[in-house]
Amino acid sequence: MIFAVMAALLVTMVLALVRAFLGPDLYNRILAINMFGTKTVLFVAVAGFLFGRPDFLDIGILYALVNFVAVVAVLRLTHHDEPATGRNGDGHS
Amino acid sequence: MIVLEIASGVLLAAGALFVISGGVGLLRFPDFYTRTHAAGLTDSAGAGLILLGLLLQGAGWETAVRLLIIMLFLALTSPTSTHILAHAARRDGVPVWREGDPRR
């Protein structure tokens, strides 16, 4: 059953990558990469169980942290003026 | 003991189903906002079910604590990240898709 879950996760990762390449503009890509990151967390957890190495889960926890910070950082990068100064979004792009 | 195995298998299968449905939804939906639904669906439901299924695999309590931490963290961060993403897109003026609009 764990093999089935790993296969499903791999398929979803490929679909997310396809959406990341196809995605018309920035936000579709960020969404796809965010979903890809979450699936990587699950993949590491399931792989840890499959190979009998429960300490993989620490990597999963860390990756969930990094993934969240990455999404916030990218949004701050492309939206740098709005939250800091609180002005209404007249930014670029 | 066998009940745990069956329950774990059922949960893992349901989680895998949610994950695949989210992935397909990410490709088929016409617009960014509709795709956030698909991505959010897999993050919350799929991840929760898969991790719950792994929890029932009967590993030691250390593994169970780690799985609970991952579940808690994913439950906290994935809605938040989807929200700030949609908020930023809305602020940036990404148009909302209406019935009959072309795929975006």
Side-chain angles (χ1 to χ4, degrees):
Chain A
M1 180 48 77
I2 288 199
F3 283 106
V5 175
M6 273 181 90
L9 284 173
L10 283 177
V11 164
T12 311
M13 282 177 171
V14 169
L15 293 177
L17 277 183
V18 165
R19 169 50 59 192
F21 288 132
L22 284 181
D25 62 353
L26 173 70
Y27 291 104
N28 290 305
R29 292 201 169 98
I30 299 180
L31 184 69
I33 295 305
N34 177 28
M35 183 181 160
F36 188 86
T38 315
K39 293 310 155 237
T40 316
V41 171
L42 289 177
F43 187 78
V44 163
V46 170
F49 265 79
L50 186 63
F51 301 141
R53 296 275 302 279
D55 46 11
F56 273 13
L57 292 174
D58 303 339
I59 303 174
I61 295 174
L62 203 60
Y63 201 84
L65 289 161
V66 167
N67 184 32
F68 179 61
V69 170
V71 169
V72 172
V74 165
L75 285 179
R76 285 297 295 269
L77 195 66
T78 59
H79 237 71
H80 54 82
D81 59 347
E82 185 228 330
T85 59
R87 271 182 298 112
N88 197 348
D90 61 351
H92 43 74
S93 76
Chain B
M1 202 43 196
I2 192 69
V3 173
L4 273 187
E5 307 263 337
I6 296 174
S8 160
V10 166
L11 282 176
L12 283 174
L17 187 68
F18 268 105
V19 161
I20 285 193
S21 71
V24 169
L26 200 64
L27 282 180
R28 278 179 53 85
F29 280 156
D31 173 66
F32 165 72
Y33 296 108
T34 45
R35 284 181 204 130
T36 46
H37 162 67
L41 172 75
T42 67
D43 287 355
S44 52
L49 285 176
I50 287 182
L51 291 172
L52 208 57
L54 288 181
L55 202 61
L56 297 184
Q57 287 283 338
W61 66 273
E62 305 91 356
T63 323
V65 165
R66 287 193 181 101
L67 278 171
L68 286 177
I69 289 175
I70 289 187
M71 260 158 63
L72 176 72
F73 197 80
L74 276 183
L76 286 178
T77 51
S78 71
T80 318
S81 60
T82 312
H83 166 68
I84 56 176
L85 198 55
H87 177 72
R90 189 81 189 106
R91 257 302 158 83
D92 214 7
V94 175
V96 180
W97 183 81
R98 288 279 183 276
E99 188 64 37
D101 285 359
R103 283 177 60 89
R104 268 195 282 277

